Amino acid sequence: MSEDNFPSGKLANDGLPPLRDVIATHDLSAQKKFGQNFLFDLNLTGRIARAAAPLDDATVIEIGPGPGGLTRALLFNGAKNLTVIERDPRCQPVLAQISNHYPGALHVIDGDALEVDVTTLGPAPRKIVANLPYNVGTQLLLNWLMQIDQFASLTLMFQKEVAERVVAKPKSKAYGRLSVICQYLCDCDILFDVHRSAFTPPPKVTSAVVQLRPKADRGTQINLASLAKITQAAFGQRRKMLRASLKSLNINVGRLLESTGIVETARAEELSVEDFVLLTDCYSRLSASEDKQ
Ligand code: SAM
């Protein structure tokens, strides 16, 4: 059996109805506009939940619980303070049923995760665990990264292509803005792949579970907004040399690159994460000195 297929034998019995019955009873046919691809395999949802362990001492946050497969696994595996945010109102009765089954442990927010400041949902340590809707997954991740010190870990299911961008190394096709920002802030690992057949309906591509854990010491402290701006400029025109791609920063690019020791003819994908950190640090100093003049 391959790594991404799971036995469908005896599963953890949480006393709630099987997920397929829940979907049928509540008529929860998956809707594309909500990015819905549901997981029914409790072995798989259990595996994702356990990857984020321990859960009992943390504020656990799940985005997009849908019919509650992963939610139930998180609760079954010990989460005592779990908040879920779901945009599809059809899921609310099902989530209420789960909440009644685990009194006091599950809090449900009916809303858009892009508009919720998840750091207000409970004290640290905070862990986000989610099978993310593909249409807003990357944006949510970028939002959380901008305040990463608020979290103990992010355990997230993405399309494999996005997961590969998170962990990509320089000089690879997948290496880009997301790789640099994620790897500056966090230790990042792909934990396992999940075959498309595990979802209902199956998406077009393979998925993967990624875990990001904030680094205790990330060396040079830099301005994240500047890192985001520089990586956007550099990778926005990734085939161009830096002396051209960084022009949009409205700074003396020659001076900037000279102060870093990075050659003007280098391209974004050749730079290491450390190079981008140095570039950002020098950019902040140079901007400050140009502002003074
Ligand atoms: N967690 C469930 C599972 O694993 O079976 C469902 C995962 S499905 C890929 C994504 C879920 O996110 C859907 O239930 C969808 O309705 C919800 N969703 C989509 N956009 C959202 C948003 N902006 N905020 C909160 N939930 C959202």
Side-chain angles (χ1 to χ4, degrees):
M1 186 172 46
S2 76
E3 176 66 7
D4 49 17
N5 284 327
F6 294 85
S8 54
K10 201 158 169 26
L11 303 170
N13 187 352
D14 62 4
L16 284 160
L19 278 164
R20 285 184 196 282
D21 294 357
V22 170
I23 298 276
T25 313
H26 294 269
D27 197 18
L28 285 179
S29 52
Q31 290 194 0
K32 212 172 170 184
K33 66 173 177 184
F34 290 123
Q36 290 177 334
N37 300 97
F38 300 137
L39 291 171
F40 293 148
D41 184 334
L42 298 192
N43 275 315
L44 177 51
T45 51
R47 193 173 176 198
I48 300 169
R50 285 191 296 277
L55 297 167
D56 55 347
D57 65 344
T59 298
V60 184
I61 300 152
E62 185 196 356
I63 309 304
L70 182 55
T71 315
R72 286 165 57 171
L74 290 165
L75 292 162
F76 190 80
N77 283 282
K80 298 204 164 28
N81 178 14
L82 168 63
T83 299
V84 298
I85 308 170
E86 174 55 62
R87 202 176 157 198
D88 180 355
R90 297 177 307 156
C91 301
Q92 293 303 322
V94 181
L95 297 169
Q97 190 181 15
I98 302 172
S99 183
N100 289 338
H101 194 73
Y102 287 93
L106 176 62
H107 318 281
V108 181
I109 297 179
D110 177 2
D112 182 346
L114 284 169
E115 288 169 8
V116 177
D117 176 1
V118 292
T119 64
T120 62
L121 300 179
R126 301 181 193 91
K127 295 181 174 180
I128 301 186
V129 187
N131 170 19
L132 289 173
Y134 69 91
N135 42 355
V136 289
T138 313
Q139 186 56 54
L140 285 168
L141 172 57
L142 283 168
N143 293 354
W144 299 327
L145 286 168
M146 292 300 137
Q147 43 182 348
I148 195 67
D149 292 333
Q150 300 292 327
F151 304 107
S153 65
L154 312 178
T155 305
L156 308 171
M157 174 98 77
F158 282 111
Q159 298 124 284
K160 191 170 180 199
E161 174 261 324
V162 178
E164 282 174 341
R165 285 202 274 136
V166 170
V167 302
K169 297 295 169 209
K171 296 184 186 158
S172 67
K173 223 171 134 188
Y175 185 63
R177 185 172 180 232
L178 195 61
S179 327
V180 174
I181 299 175
C182 288
Q183 293 171 38
Y184 166 59
L185 295 170
C186 301
D187 293 314
C188 312
D189 292 296
I190 293 185
L191 300 186
F192 51 91
D193 291 352
V194 181
H195 193 266
R196 48 191 289 280
S197 61
F199 300 86
T200 303
K204 288 198 177 72
V205 293
T206 301
S207 297
V209 176
V210 178
Q211 193 164 62
L212 298 95
R213 294 168 312 282
K215 286 181 179 163
D217 178 11
R218 55 181 88 114
T220 315
Q221 294 291 329
I222 50 166
N223 182 291
L224 286 184
S226 299
L227 177 65
K229 196 170 162 183
I230 287 170
T231 49
Q232 184 160 32
F235 287 104
Q237 305 186 70
R238 61 187 292 144
R239 284 179 200 288
K240 289 201 175 162
M241 295 175 188
L242 291 173
R243 68 177 173 216
S245 61
L246 296 184
K247 268 189 186 152
S248 60
L249 294 176
N250 287 327
I251 199 161
N252 185 328
V253 178
R255 262 181 82 193
L256 172 64
L257 289 170
E258 196 182 274
S259 63
T260 62
I262 298 169
V263 292
E264 287 192 352
T265 51
R267 291 177 170 80
E269 64 178 26
E270 294 163 357
L271 265 53
S272 65
V273 173
E274 293 73 29
D275 288 334
F276 276 106
V277 172
L278 178 63
L279 201 51
T280 306
D281 195 33
C282 291
Y283 170 79
S284 300
R285 290 171 202 274
L286 193 58
S287 307
S289 79
E290 284 190 0
D291 282 350
K292 272 192 205 148
Q293 285 165 12

